[in-house]
Protein backbone atom coordinates (compact mmCIF):
# COMPACT_ATOMS: atom_id res chain seq x y z
CA UNK A 1 0.00 0.00 0.00
CA UNK A 2 1.23 3.44 -0.90
CA UNK A 3 2.29 5.56 2.02
CA UNK A 4 -0.42 8.04 2.90
CA UNK A 5 0.76 11.63 3.04
CA UNK A 6 0.60 13.13 6.56
CA UNK A 7 -2.07 15.69 5.73
CA UNK A 8 -4.26 12.93 4.29
CA UNK A 9 -3.66 10.52 7.21
CA UNK A 10 -5.17 13.04 9.62
CA UNK A 11 -8.56 12.58 8.03
CA UNK A 12 -8.63 9.25 6.19
CA UNK A 13 -7.44 6.16 8.07
CA UNK A 14 -7.24 2.52 7.06
CA UNK A 15 -9.07 0.20 9.54
CA UNK A 16 -5.71 -1.01 10.94
CA UNK A 17 -4.43 2.49 11.50
CA UNK A 18 -7.70 3.52 13.11
CA UNK A 19 -7.39 0.61 15.56
CA UNK A 20 -3.79 1.50 16.38
CA UNK A 21 -4.75 5.09 17.03
CA UNK A 22 -7.05 4.01 19.87
CA UNK A 23 -4.36 1.96 21.63
CA UNK A 24 -1.90 3.81 23.87
CA UNK A 25 1.36 3.67 22.03
CA UNK A 26 3.49 0.73 23.23
CA UNK A 27 7.15 1.63 22.91
CA UNK A 28 9.10 -1.18 21.36
CA UNK A 29 12.04 -0.65 23.68
CA UNK A 30 12.40 -0.55 27.43
CA UNK A 31 15.26 0.61 29.65
CA UNK A 32 16.81 -1.30 32.54
CA UNK A 33 15.41 1.01 35.20
CA UNK A 34 11.93 0.55 33.79
CA UNK A 35 12.41 -3.22 33.87
CA UNK A 36 13.32 -2.94 37.55
CA UNK A 37 10.09 -1.10 38.24
CA UNK A 38 8.05 -3.64 36.26
CA UNK A 39 9.52 -6.49 38.28
CA UNK A 40 8.93 -4.71 41.60
CA UNK A 41 5.33 -4.08 40.61
CA UNK A 42 4.92 -7.76 39.73
CA UNK A 43 5.95 -8.58 43.32
CA UNK A 44 3.27 -6.21 44.69
CA UNK A 45 5.71 -3.56 45.84
CA UNK A 46 4.15 -0.09 45.90
CA UNK A 47 6.94 1.82 47.69
CA UNK A 48 10.72 1.90 47.48
CA UNK A 49 13.06 3.48 50.02
CA UNK A 50 16.05 5.21 48.56
CA UNK A 51 18.73 7.85 48.64
CA UNK A 52 19.62 9.13 45.22
CA UNK A 53 22.78 8.72 43.19
CA UNK A 54 23.61 9.07 39.53
CA UNK A 55 23.89 5.30 39.12
CA UNK A 56 20.25 4.55 39.92
CA UNK A 57 18.08 7.37 38.59
CA UNK A 58 16.58 5.31 35.77
CA UNK A 59 14.86 3.17 38.43
CA UNK A 60 13.07 6.27 39.69
CA UNK A 61 11.89 7.03 36.18
CA UNK A 62 10.53 3.50 35.91
CA UNK A 63 8.77 3.88 39.26
CA UNK A 64 6.99 6.97 37.98
CA UNK A 65 5.56 4.89 35.11
CA UNK A 66 4.55 2.01 37.37
CA UNK A 67 3.00 4.19 40.07
CA UNK A 68 5.54 3.09 42.71
CA UNK A 69 6.09 5.62 45.46
CA UNK A 70 9.68 6.81 45.82
CA UNK A 71 10.45 7.59 49.47
CA UNK A 72 13.72 9.43 49.65
CA UNK A 73 15.48 9.33 53.01
CA UNK A 74 18.57 10.99 54.48
CA UNK A 75 20.74 7.93 55.10
CA UNK A 76 20.84 4.58 53.31
CA UNK A 77 20.75 2.67 56.61
CA UNK A 78 17.28 4.11 57.03
CA UNK A 79 16.27 3.00 53.53
CA UNK A 80 17.34 -0.58 54.27
CA UNK A 81 15.67 -0.70 57.72
CA UNK A 82 12.51 0.77 56.21
CA UNK A 83 12.47 -1.95 53.55
CA UNK A 84 12.87 -4.54 56.34
CA UNK A 85 10.02 -2.88 58.25
CA UNK A 86 7.81 -2.72 55.17
CA UNK A 87 8.26 -6.47 54.70
CA UNK A 88 7.35 -7.19 58.30
CA UNK A 89 4.25 -5.02 58.18
CA UNK A 90 2.88 -5.98 54.76
CA UNK A 91 3.98 -9.59 54.31
CA UNK A 92 5.36 -8.53 50.92
CA UNK A 93 9.07 -8.03 50.38
CA UNK A 94 10.48 -4.59 50.99
CA UNK A 95 12.82 -2.87 48.58
CA UNK A 96 15.60 -0.36 49.09
CA UNK A 97 17.45 1.21 46.19
CA UNK A 98 20.86 2.75 46.85
CA UNK A 99 23.73 4.04 44.84
CA UNK A 100 27.11 2.37 44.37
CA UNK A 101 29.97 2.52 46.88
CA UNK A 102 29.08 4.43 50.07
CA UNK A 103 25.38 4.24 49.28
CA UNK A 104 25.64 0.48 49.42
CA UNK A 105 27.95 0.28 52.42
CA UNK A 106 25.63 2.61 54.35
CA UNK A 107 22.81 0.15 53.68
CA UNK A 108 24.79 -2.87 54.87
CA UNK A 109 23.64 -2.56 58.49
CA UNK A 110 19.99 -2.58 57.43
CA UNK A 111 20.51 -5.68 55.30
CA UNK A 112 22.41 -7.36 58.12
CA UNK A 113 19.56 -6.64 60.49
CA UNK A 114 17.05 -8.13 58.04
CA UNK A 115 19.31 -11.19 57.69
CA UNK A 116 19.30 -11.95 61.41
CA UNK A 117 15.63 -10.99 61.75
CA UNK A 118 14.61 -13.23 58.82
CA UNK A 119 12.98 -10.44 56.90
CA UNK A 120 12.40 -10.62 53.14
CA UNK A 121 13.81 -7.57 51.44
CA UNK A 122 15.67 -6.75 48.26
CA UNK A 123 18.51 -4.28 48.18
CA UNK A 124 19.21 -2.99 44.71
CA UNK A 125 22.53 -1.21 44.43
CA UNK A 126 24.15 0.76 41.67
CA UNK A 127 27.54 -0.06 40.20
CA UNK A 128 29.86 1.59 37.72
CA UNK A 129 29.37 0.74 34.07
CA UNK A 130 30.44 -2.82 33.23
CA UNK A 131 32.64 -1.50 30.43
CA UNK A 132 34.69 0.26 33.13
CA UNK A 133 34.84 -2.84 35.32
CA UNK A 134 37.80 -2.69 37.73
CA UNK A 135 39.15 0.46 36.07
CA UNK A 136 38.52 2.56 39.17
CA UNK A 137 35.16 4.11 38.31
CA UNK A 138 33.44 6.45 40.76
CA UNK A 139 32.14 4.62 43.86
CA UNK A 140 33.28 1.23 42.59
CA UNK A 141 33.46 -1.50 45.26
CA UNK A 142 33.09 -5.29 45.32
CA UNK A 143 29.49 -4.97 46.50
CA UNK A 144 28.47 -8.56 45.84
CA UNK A 145 31.37 -9.87 47.93
CA UNK A 146 30.43 -7.49 50.74
CA UNK A 147 26.78 -8.48 50.74
CA UNK A 148 27.16 -12.20 50.16
CA UNK A 149 27.60 -13.35 53.79
CA UNK A 150 24.55 -11.41 54.99
CA UNK A 151 22.04 -12.26 52.28
CA UNK A 152 20.34 -15.39 51.01
CA UNK A 153 21.23 -14.39 47.45
CA UNK A 154 23.63 -11.77 46.08
CA UNK A 155 24.51 -11.25 42.45
CA UNK A 156 25.36 -8.79 39.77
CA UNK A 157 23.04 -8.45 36.78
CA UNK A 158 25.10 -8.53 33.61
CA UNK A 159 22.59 -7.84 30.86
CA UNK A 160 19.58 -5.58 30.63
CA UNK A 161 17.27 -8.29 29.31
CA UNK A 162 17.82 -10.37 32.49
CA UNK A 163 16.99 -7.56 34.95
CA UNK A 164 13.34 -8.43 35.62
CA UNK A 165 14.14 -12.14 35.57
CA UNK A 166 16.89 -11.76 38.15
CA UNK A 167 14.72 -9.61 40.38
CA UNK A 168 12.13 -12.39 40.35
CA UNK A 169 14.94 -14.84 41.18
CA UNK A 170 16.12 -12.67 44.06
CA UNK A 171 12.61 -12.53 45.51
CA UNK A 172 12.22 -16.31 45.16
CA UNK A 173 15.41 -16.78 47.17
CA UNK A 174 14.08 -14.47 49.92
CA UNK A 175 11.34 -17.01 50.59
CA UNK A 176 13.46 -20.16 50.69
CA UNK A 177 13.17 -21.54 54.24
CA UNK A 178 13.43 -18.83 56.87
CA UNK A 179 12.99 -15.53 55.06
CA UNK A 180 15.86 -13.17 54.41
CA UNK A 181 17.28 -10.43 52.25
CA UNK A 182 18.63 -10.56 48.71
CA UNK A 183 20.95 -8.17 46.94
CA UNK A 184 21.33 -7.26 43.28
CA UNK A 185 23.96 -4.99 41.84
CA UNK A 186 23.15 -3.42 38.49
CA UNK A 187 25.83 -1.62 36.53
CA UNK A 188 25.00 1.86 35.24
CA UNK A 189 25.24 0.89 31.58
CA UNK A 190 23.11 -2.23 32.16
CA UNK A 191 20.49 -0.11 33.89
CA UNK A 192 20.45 2.76 31.41
CA UNK A 193 20.47 0.65 28.23
CA UNK A 194 17.31 0.32 26.19
CA UNK A 195 16.52 -3.08 24.75
CA UNK A 196 13.76 -4.51 22.64
CA UNK A 197 10.89 -5.19 24.99
CA UNK A 198 10.33 -8.63 23.42
CA UNK A 199 13.88 -9.72 24.36
CA UNK A 200 13.35 -9.36 28.10
CA UNK A 201 11.81 -12.06 30.26
CA UNK A 202 9.32 -10.26 32.48
CA UNK A 203 7.97 -12.82 34.97
CA UNK A 204 4.26 -12.47 35.54
CA UNK A 205 2.82 -11.78 39.02
CA UNK A 206 2.08 -14.98 40.90
CA UNK A 207 3.80 -17.18 38.33
CA UNK A 208 7.42 -17.35 39.42
CA UNK A 209 7.39 -18.89 42.86
CA UNK A 210 5.54 -21.62 44.71
CA UNK A 211 3.63 -21.66 47.98
CA UNK A 212 5.77 -22.18 51.08
CA UNK A 213 2.90 -23.37 53.29
CA UNK A 214 4.41 -26.77 53.94
CA UNK A 215 3.66 -28.86 57.05
CA UNK A 216 6.73 -31.06 56.71
CA UNK A 217 6.56 -34.69 57.80
CA UNK A 218 2.94 -35.74 58.51
CA UNK A 219 4.21 -38.42 60.93
CA UNK A 220 5.83 -35.71 63.06
CA UNK A 221 2.51 -33.85 63.22
CA UNK A 222 0.82 -36.95 64.61
CA UNK A 223 3.67 -37.50 67.04
CA UNK A 224 3.45 -33.96 68.43
CA UNK A 225 -0.33 -34.20 68.81
CA UNK A 226 0.22 -37.37 70.85
CA UNK A 227 2.89 -35.74 73.03
CA UNK A 228 0.65 -32.76 73.79
CA UNK A 229 -2.46 -34.78 74.51
CA UNK A 230 -0.52 -36.69 77.18
CA UNK A 231 1.28 -33.64 78.62
CA UNK A 232 0.60 -32.47 82.17
CA UNK A 233 2.60 -29.25 82.17
CA UNK A 234 3.26 -28.09 78.64
CA UNK A 235 4.04 -24.60 77.44
CA UNK A 236 4.64 -23.04 74.07
CA UNK A 237 6.85 -20.13 73.03
CA UNK A 238 5.47 -18.30 70.00
CA UNK A 239 8.31 -16.52 68.19
CA UNK A 240 8.57 -14.08 65.32
CA UNK A 241 7.86 -16.64 62.61
CA UNK A 242 4.31 -16.98 63.89
CA UNK A 243 3.78 -13.45 62.60
CA UNK A 244 5.91 -13.99 59.48
CA UNK A 245 3.69 -16.94 58.56
CA UNK A 246 0.59 -15.00 59.57
CA UNK A 247 -0.10 -17.92 61.91
CA UNK A 248 -1.75 -16.08 64.81
CA UNK A 249 -5.16 -17.63 64.31
CA UNK A 250 -3.68 -21.10 64.11
CA UNK A 251 -1.59 -20.44 67.23
CA UNK A 252 -4.61 -19.20 69.21
CA UNK A 253 -6.63 -22.21 68.13
CA UNK A 254 -3.75 -24.50 69.13
CA UNK A 255 -3.48 -22.98 72.64
CA UNK A 256 -7.22 -23.03 73.24
CA UNK A 257 -7.97 -26.46 71.84
CA UNK A 258 -5.09 -28.12 73.67
CA UNK A 259 -5.18 -25.85 76.75
CA UNK A 260 -1.52 -24.89 76.53
CA UNK A 261 -0.11 -21.71 78.13
CA UNK A 262 1.76 -19.45 75.71
CA UNK A 263 4.68 -17.07 75.92
CA UNK A 264 5.54 -14.77 73.05
CA UNK A 265 8.67 -13.06 71.88
CA UNK A 266 9.76 -10.74 69.08
CA UNK A 267 7.14 -10.25 66.42
CA UNK A 268 5.19 -13.11 68.01
CA UNK A 269 4.13 -10.71 70.77
CA UNK A 270 0.45 -9.89 70.62
CA UNK A 271 -0.44 -13.26 69.05
CA UNK A 272 -2.65 -13.74 72.08
CA UNK A 273 -4.00 -10.50 73.56
CA UNK A 274 -3.25 -9.55 77.17
CA UNK A 275 -5.97 -10.90 79.43
CA UNK A 276 -6.37 -14.06 77.38
CA UNK A 277 -6.39 -17.12 79.69
CA UNK A 278 -3.45 -18.60 77.77
CA UNK A 279 -1.37 -15.38 77.59
CA UNK A 280 1.63 -15.31 79.95
CA UNK A 281 4.53 -12.89 80.08
CA UNK A 282 6.46 -12.83 83.37
CA UNK A 283 6.64 -16.53 84.20
CA UNK A 284 8.65 -17.82 81.27
CA UNK A 285 11.65 -18.96 83.33
CA UNK A 286 9.34 -20.52 85.91
CA UNK A 287 7.40 -22.37 83.20
CA UNK A 288 10.52 -23.58 81.41
CA UNK A 289 11.94 -24.84 84.68
CA UNK A 290 8.82 -26.80 85.62
CA UNK A 291 7.30 -27.87 82.31
CA UNK A 292 7.20 -31.46 81.06
CA UNK A 293 6.78 -30.45 77.38
CA UNK A 294 8.21 -27.27 75.84
CA UNK A 295 7.29 -26.36 72.27
CA UNK A 296 9.48 -23.70 70.71
CA UNK A 297 7.87 -22.15 67.65
CA UNK A 298 9.64 -19.95 65.13
CA UNK A 299 12.53 -18.70 67.24
CA UNK A 300 16.06 -20.08 67.38
CA UNK A 301 18.04 -21.27 70.39
CA UNK A 302 20.18 -18.14 70.27
CA UNK A 303 21.44 -15.87 73.07
CA UNK A 304 17.87 -14.80 73.86
CA UNK A 305 17.13 -18.40 74.74
CA UNK A 306 20.44 -19.02 76.52
CA UNK A 307 21.24 -21.20 73.46
CA UNK A 308 18.63 -23.63 74.76
CA UNK A 309 20.83 -24.58 77.71
CA UNK A 310 18.43 -23.25 80.32
CA UNK A 311 15.71 -25.69 79.33
CA UNK A 312 15.72 -28.61 81.77
CA UNK A 313 17.18 -31.89 80.59
CA UNK A 314 14.11 -33.83 81.69
CA UNK A 315 11.61 -31.86 79.57
CA UNK A 316 10.43 -33.01 76.16
CA UNK A 317 11.60 -30.19 73.91
CA UNK A 318 9.96 -29.81 70.52
CA UNK A 319 11.09 -27.27 67.97
CA UNK A 320 9.07 -25.98 65.01
CA UNK A 321 10.77 -23.68 62.53
CA UNK A 322 10.67 -22.52 58.92
CA UNK A 323 14.38 -23.22 58.65
CA UNK A 324 15.72 -26.75 58.61
CA UNK A 325 19.14 -25.63 59.85
CA UNK A 326 17.69 -23.93 62.94
CA UNK A 327 16.00 -27.07 64.27
CA UNK A 328 18.20 -28.91 66.72
CA UNK A 329 20.90 -26.25 66.59
CA UNK A 330 22.74 -25.67 69.92
CA UNK A 331 20.56 -28.15 71.80
CA UNK A 332 19.19 -31.64 71.33
CA UNK A 333 15.45 -31.90 70.79
CA UNK A 334 12.91 -34.68 71.19
CA UNK A 335 11.18 -33.77 67.94
CA UNK A 336 11.71 -31.25 65.16
CA UNK A 337 9.23 -30.01 62.58
CA UNK A 338 10.14 -27.87 59.58
CA UNK A 339 7.76 -25.79 57.50
CA UNK A 340 5.26 -22.99 57.78
CA UNK A 341 4.80 -22.67 61.53
CA UNK A 342 1.16 -21.57 61.28
CA UNK A 343 0.27 -24.44 58.97
CA UNK A 344 2.07 -26.87 61.31
CA UNK A 345 0.25 -25.61 64.42
CA UNK A 346 -3.08 -25.88 62.57
CA UNK A 347 -2.22 -29.42 61.48
CA UNK A 348 -1.28 -30.44 65.03
CA UNK A 349 -4.55 -29.03 66.38
CA UNK A 350 -6.39 -30.96 63.69
CA UNK A 351 -4.48 -34.17 64.49
CA UNK A 352 -5.31 -33.77 68.20
CA UNK A 353 -9.01 -33.57 67.39
CA UNK A 354 -8.78 -37.29 66.66
CA UNK A 355 -8.32 -38.02 70.39
CA UNK A 356 -11.58 -38.49 72.31
CA UNK A 357 -9.91 -37.03 75.42
CA UNK A 358 -7.37 -34.36 74.56
CA UNK A 359 -6.30 -34.22 78.19
CA UNK A 360 -7.17 -30.54 78.49
CA UNK A 361 -8.57 -30.83 82.03
CA UNK A 362 -5.35 -32.35 83.42
CA UNK A 363 -3.50 -29.18 82.39
CA UNK A 364 -5.79 -26.71 84.18
CA UNK A 365 -3.98 -26.93 87.56
CA UNK A 366 -0.72 -26.09 85.75
CA UNK A 367 -2.30 -23.06 84.12
CA UNK A 368 -3.65 -21.95 87.50
CA UNK A 369 -0.22 -22.41 89.06
CA UNK A 370 1.35 -20.23 86.36
CA UNK A 371 -1.36 -17.61 86.69
CA UNK A 372 -0.76 -17.34 90.44
CA UNK A 373 2.98 -16.97 89.89
CA UNK A 374 2.40 -14.42 87.13
CA UNK A 375 0.27 -12.36 89.53
CA UNK A 376 2.85 -12.61 92.29
CA UNK A 377 5.60 -11.31 90.01
CA UNK A 378 3.38 -8.55 88.64
CA UNK A 379 2.35 -7.37 92.11
CA UNK A 380 5.96 -7.36 93.29
CA UNK A 381 6.94 -5.02 90.44
CA UNK A 382 3.86 -2.81 90.53
CA UNK A 383 5.10 -0.20 93.04
CA UNK A 384 8.04 0.67 90.76
CA UNK A 385 5.76 0.69 87.77
CA UNK A 386 3.58 3.26 89.51
CA UNK A 387 6.45 5.19 91.07
CA UNK A 388 6.05 8.97 91.25
CA UNK A 389 9.80 9.41 91.69
CA UNK A 390 11.75 12.12 89.90
CA UNK A 391 13.79 11.60 87.82
CA UNK A 392 11.24 9.29 86.30
CA UNK A 393 11.74 5.54 86.72
CA UNK A 394 11.87 3.87 83.27
CA UNK A 395 9.34 1.30 84.50
CA UNK A 396 6.84 4.09 85.06
CA UNK A 397 7.41 5.31 81.53
CA UNK A 398 6.87 1.77 80.22
CA UNK A 399 3.71 1.51 82.31
CA UNK A 400 2.30 4.76 80.92
CA UNK A 401 3.06 3.70 77.35
CA UNK A 402 1.37 0.36 77.91
CA UNK A 403 -1.73 2.09 79.25
CA UNK A 404 -1.73 4.37 76.21
CA UNK A 405 -1.71 1.61 73.57
CA UNK A 406 -4.86 0.71 71.70
CA UNK A 407 -5.66 -2.32 69.58
CA UNK A 408 -4.73 -0.18 66.59
CA UNK A 409 -1.28 0.80 67.88
CA UNK A 410 1.97 -0.49 66.45
CA UNK A 411 4.65 -0.42 69.17
CA UNK A 412 8.27 -0.07 68.12
CA UNK A 413 11.20 -0.39 70.51
CA UNK A 414 14.57 1.15 69.58
CA UNK A 415 17.04 1.51 72.40
CA UNK A 416 18.94 -0.22 75.15
CA UNK A 417 17.95 -0.24 78.79
CA UNK A 418 14.71 1.75 78.50
CA UNK A 419 13.46 -0.63 75.83
CA UNK A 420 14.51 -3.65 77.90
CA UNK A 421 12.36 -2.27 80.75
CA UNK A 422 9.49 -1.83 78.29
CA UNK A 423 9.87 -5.39 77.01
CA UNK A 424 8.55 -6.76 80.28
CA UNK A 425 5.68 -4.29 80.58
CA UNK A 426 4.35 -3.25 77.17
CA UNK A 427 1.81 -5.68 75.78
CA UNK A 428 0.71 -5.18 72.19
CA UNK A 429 -3.00 -5.76 71.89
CA UNK A 430 -3.06 -7.67 68.61
CA UNK A 431 -0.79 -9.73 66.35
CA UNK A 432 1.77 -7.84 64.30
CA UNK A 433 1.79 -4.80 66.58
CA UNK A 434 5.32 -5.18 67.93
CA UNK A 435 8.55 -4.32 66.14
CA UNK A 436 12.06 -4.56 67.48
CA UNK A 437 15.31 -5.00 65.54
CA UNK A 438 15.57 -8.71 66.28
CA UNK A 439 18.68 -10.67 67.22
CA UNK A 440 21.16 -8.28 65.61
CA UNK A 441 20.07 -5.74 68.23
CA UNK A 442 20.64 -2.84 65.85
CA UNK A 443 20.07 0.60 67.32
CA UNK A 444 18.48 3.06 64.92
CA UNK A 445 15.58 1.00 63.55
CA UNK A 446 12.92 3.16 65.20
CA UNK A 447 12.40 5.99 62.71
CA UNK A 448 12.66 3.73 59.63
CA UNK A 449 10.27 1.16 61.11
CA UNK A 450 7.82 3.95 61.98
CA UNK A 451 8.19 5.24 58.43
CA UNK A 452 7.48 1.83 56.90
CA UNK A 453 4.53 1.20 59.18
CA UNK A 454 2.88 4.55 58.48
CA UNK A 455 3.42 4.30 54.72
CA UNK A 456 2.12 0.75 54.47
CA UNK A 457 -0.76 1.18 56.92
CA UNK A 458 -1.55 4.88 57.33
CA UNK A 459 -4.58 4.13 59.52
CA UNK A 460 -2.42 2.39 62.16
CA UNK A 461 -1.11 4.51 65.03
CA UNK A 462 2.60 4.16 65.71
CA UNK A 463 4.19 4.58 69.12
CA UNK A 464 7.96 4.33 69.13
CA UNK A 465 10.03 4.21 72.30
CA UNK A 466 13.61 5.34 71.72
CA UNK A 467 16.68 5.39 73.86
CA UNK A 468 18.40 8.75 73.43
CA UNK A 469 21.44 6.97 71.99
CA UNK A 470 19.36 4.96 69.55
CA UNK A 471 17.36 7.93 68.35
CA UNK A 472 20.53 9.86 67.62
CA UNK A 473 21.69 7.26 65.12
CA UNK A 474 18.99 7.69 62.49
CA UNK A 475 17.00 10.56 63.99
CA UNK A 476 17.56 12.96 61.11
CA UNK A 477 15.00 10.99 59.16
CA UNK A 478 12.42 12.45 61.50
CA UNK A 479 12.51 15.14 58.79
CA UNK A 480 11.44 12.52 56.22
CA UNK A 481 8.49 11.69 58.46
CA UNK A 482 7.54 15.36 58.38
CA UNK A 483 8.12 15.71 54.62
CA UNK A 484 5.89 12.71 53.86
CA UNK A 485 3.35 13.70 56.50
CA UNK A 486 3.70 10.51 58.56
CA UNK A 487 2.44 11.29 62.05
CA UNK A 488 3.66 9.07 64.88
CA UNK A 489 4.18 9.30 68.61
CA UNK A 490 7.87 9.17 69.43
CA UNK A 491 8.98 8.88 73.04
CA UNK A 492 12.62 9.38 73.94
CA UNK A 493 13.53 7.74 77.26
CA UNK A 494 16.32 10.20 77.86
CA UNK A 495 18.94 9.21 80.44
CA UNK A 496 21.79 11.07 78.69
CA UNK A 497 23.80 7.84 78.54
CA UNK A 498 24.19 4.68 76.56
CA UNK A 499 23.00 3.08 79.76
CA UNK A 500 22.80 -0.54 78.76
CA UNK A 501 26.53 -0.54 78.05
CA UNK A 502 27.34 1.76 80.96
CA UNK A 503 25.89 -0.77 83.41
CA UNK A 504 28.39 -3.41 82.39
CA UNK A 505 31.25 -0.91 82.49
CA UNK A 506 30.35 0.17 86.03
CA UNK A 507 30.19 -3.46 87.10
CA UNK A 508 33.50 -4.31 85.54
CA UNK A 509 35.58 -1.17 86.09
CA UNK A 510 33.83 0.57 88.99
CA UNK A 511 32.04 3.90 89.30
CA UNK A 512 35.10 6.02 88.52
CA UNK A 513 35.79 4.44 85.14
CA UNK A 514 32.24 3.35 84.37
CA UNK A 515 31.19 6.39 82.36
CA UNK A 516 33.89 6.28 79.71
CA UNK A 517 32.63 6.36 76.15
CA UNK A 518 28.96 6.20 77.00
CA UNK A 519 27.94 9.72 78.12
CA UNK A 520 25.61 11.61 75.83
CA UNK A 521 24.71 15.29 76.11
CA UNK A 522 21.48 16.43 77.74
CA UNK A 523 19.79 16.87 74.38
CA UNK A 524 16.32 18.38 74.12
CA UNK A 525 14.81 16.09 71.52
CA UNK A 526 11.51 17.92 71.86
CA UNK A 527 13.14 21.02 70.37
CA UNK A 528 14.72 18.90 67.64
CA UNK A 529 11.23 17.70 66.66
CA UNK A 530 9.90 21.24 66.67
CA UNK A 531 12.80 22.48 64.58
CA UNK A 532 11.99 19.94 61.88
CA UNK A 533 8.29 20.80 61.83
CA UNK A 534 7.00 18.15 64.21
CA UNK A 535 5.42 18.25 67.67
CA UNK A 536 7.61 18.15 70.75
CA UNK A 537 7.46 18.57 74.50
CA UNK A 538 9.51 17.46 77.48
CA UNK A 539 8.39 15.68 80.63
CA UNK A 540 10.05 15.57 84.05
CA UNK A 541 7.09 14.65 86.26
CA UNK A 542 5.71 11.13 85.69
CA UNK A 543 2.16 12.43 86.06
CA UNK A 544 2.68 14.48 82.92
CA UNK A 545 3.54 11.50 80.71
CA UNK A 546 -0.02 10.45 79.85
CA UNK A 547 -1.28 13.95 78.99
CA UNK A 548 1.84 14.59 76.89
CA UNK A 549 1.29 11.35 74.96
CA UNK A 550 -2.31 12.37 74.39
CA UNK A 551 -1.29 15.79 73.07
CA UNK A 552 1.18 14.12 70.71
CA UNK A 553 -1.61 11.84 69.49
CA UNK A 554 -3.87 14.83 68.90
CA UNK A 555 -1.18 16.92 67.19
CA UNK A 556 -1.47 14.78 64.06
CA UNK A 557 2.25 15.34 63.47
CA UNK A 558 5.40 13.34 63.84
CA UNK A 559 6.25 13.94 67.47
CA UNK A 560 8.90 13.45 70.12
CA UNK A 561 8.08 13.46 73.82
CA UNK A 562 11.40 13.84 75.57
CA UNK A 563 11.03 12.03 78.91
CA UNK A 564 13.92 12.53 81.32
CA UNK A 565 14.43 9.17 83.02
CA UNK A 566 16.64 8.08 85.89
CA UNK A 567 20.13 7.20 84.63
CA UNK A 568 20.76 5.15 87.78
CA UNK A 569 17.93 2.67 87.11
CA UNK A 570 18.88 -0.49 85.23
CA UNK A 571 16.59 -3.17 83.86
CA UNK A 572 16.93 -6.74 85.17
CA UNK A 573 17.44 -7.81 81.56
CA UNK A 574 20.43 -5.46 81.34
CA UNK A 575 21.86 -6.68 84.65
CA UNK A 576 21.50 -10.31 83.57
CA UNK A 577 23.14 -9.91 80.18
CA UNK A 578 25.04 -13.08 79.49
CA UNK A 579 28.00 -11.25 77.98
CA UNK A 580 28.97 -9.98 81.43
CA UNK A 581 28.84 -13.44 82.97
C1 LIG B 1 24.16 0.20 65.95
C2 LIG B 1 24.53 -0.24 67.32
N1 LIG B 1 25.63 0.27 67.93
C3 LIG B 1 25.95 -0.09 69.18
C4 LIG B 1 25.19 -1.00 69.86
C5 LIG B 1 25.58 -1.43 71.28
N2 LIG B 1 24.57 -0.92 72.25
C6 LIG B 1 23.61 -1.71 72.78
S1 LIG B 1 22.64 -0.93 73.86
C7 LIG B 1 23.49 0.51 73.68
C8 LIG B 1 23.11 1.75 74.44
C9 LIG B 1 21.90 2.39 73.88
O1 LIG B 1 21.68 3.62 74.50
P1 LIG B 1 20.25 4.27 74.49
O2 LIG B 1 19.61 4.09 73.18
O3 LIG B 1 20.38 5.65 74.99
O4 LIG B 1 19.42 3.37 75.50
P2 LIG B 1 19.69 3.21 77.08
O5 LIG B 1 20.48 1.94 77.25
O6 LIG B 1 20.45 4.40 77.55
O7 LIG B 1 18.34 3.12 77.67
C10 LIG B 1 24.53 0.36 72.75
C11 LIG B 1 25.44 1.44 72.34
C12 LIG B 1 24.08 -1.54 69.19
N3 LIG B 1 23.28 -2.46 69.74
N4 LIG B 1 23.75 -1.13 67.94
MG1 LIG C 1 20.18 6.37 76.91
Amino acid sequence: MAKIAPEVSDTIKTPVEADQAQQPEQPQTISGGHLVARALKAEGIDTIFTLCGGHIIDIYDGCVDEGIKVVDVRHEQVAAHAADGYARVTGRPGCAVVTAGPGTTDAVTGVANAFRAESAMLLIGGQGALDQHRMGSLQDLPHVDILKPITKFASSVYTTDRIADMIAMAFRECYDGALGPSYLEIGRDVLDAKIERAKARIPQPGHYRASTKSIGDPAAIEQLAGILVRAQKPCVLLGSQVWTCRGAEAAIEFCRTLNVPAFMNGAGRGTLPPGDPHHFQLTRSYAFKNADVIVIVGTPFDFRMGYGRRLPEGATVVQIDMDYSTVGKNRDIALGLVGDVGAILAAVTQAASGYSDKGTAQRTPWIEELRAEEKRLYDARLPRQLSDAQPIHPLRLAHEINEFLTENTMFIGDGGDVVTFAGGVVQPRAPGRWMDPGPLGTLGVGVPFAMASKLAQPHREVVCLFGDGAFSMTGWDFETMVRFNLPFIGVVGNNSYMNQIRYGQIQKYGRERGDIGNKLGDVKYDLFAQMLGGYGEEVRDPRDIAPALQRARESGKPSLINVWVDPEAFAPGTMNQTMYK
Side-chain angles (χ1 to χ4, degrees), residues 2 26 61 212 241 273 290 297 352 428 463 467 482:
Q26 276 281 336
D61 198 57
T212 55
Q241 289 179 2
N290 296 293
V297 185
V463 170
V482 174

Side-chain angles (χ1 to χ4, degrees), residues 467-469 493-499 520:
D468 49 333
N494 194 345
N495 49 25
S496 307
Y497 282 104
M498 302 274 198
N499 234 15
L520 300 162

Side-chain angles (χ1 to χ4, degrees), residues 182-212:
S182 285
Y183 168 71
L184 284 177
E185 164 196 88
I186 313 181
R188 194 172 51 72
D189 49 356
V190 175
L191 198 63
D192 286 344
K194 283 192 166 186
I195 57 158
E196 272 178 51
R197 186 179 284 267
K199 268 190 72 184
R201 177 183 176 217
I202 307 179
Q204 293 306 298
H207 291 275
Y208 53 84
R209 53 188 173 87
S211 167
T212 55

Side-chain angles (χ1 to χ4, degrees), residues 415-418 441-443 467-470 473 495 497-501:
D417 196 66
V418 291
T442 314
L443 299 175
D468 49 333
M473 295 199 179
N495 49 25
Y497 282 104
M498 302 274 198
N499 234 15
Q500 192 151 63
I501 305 306

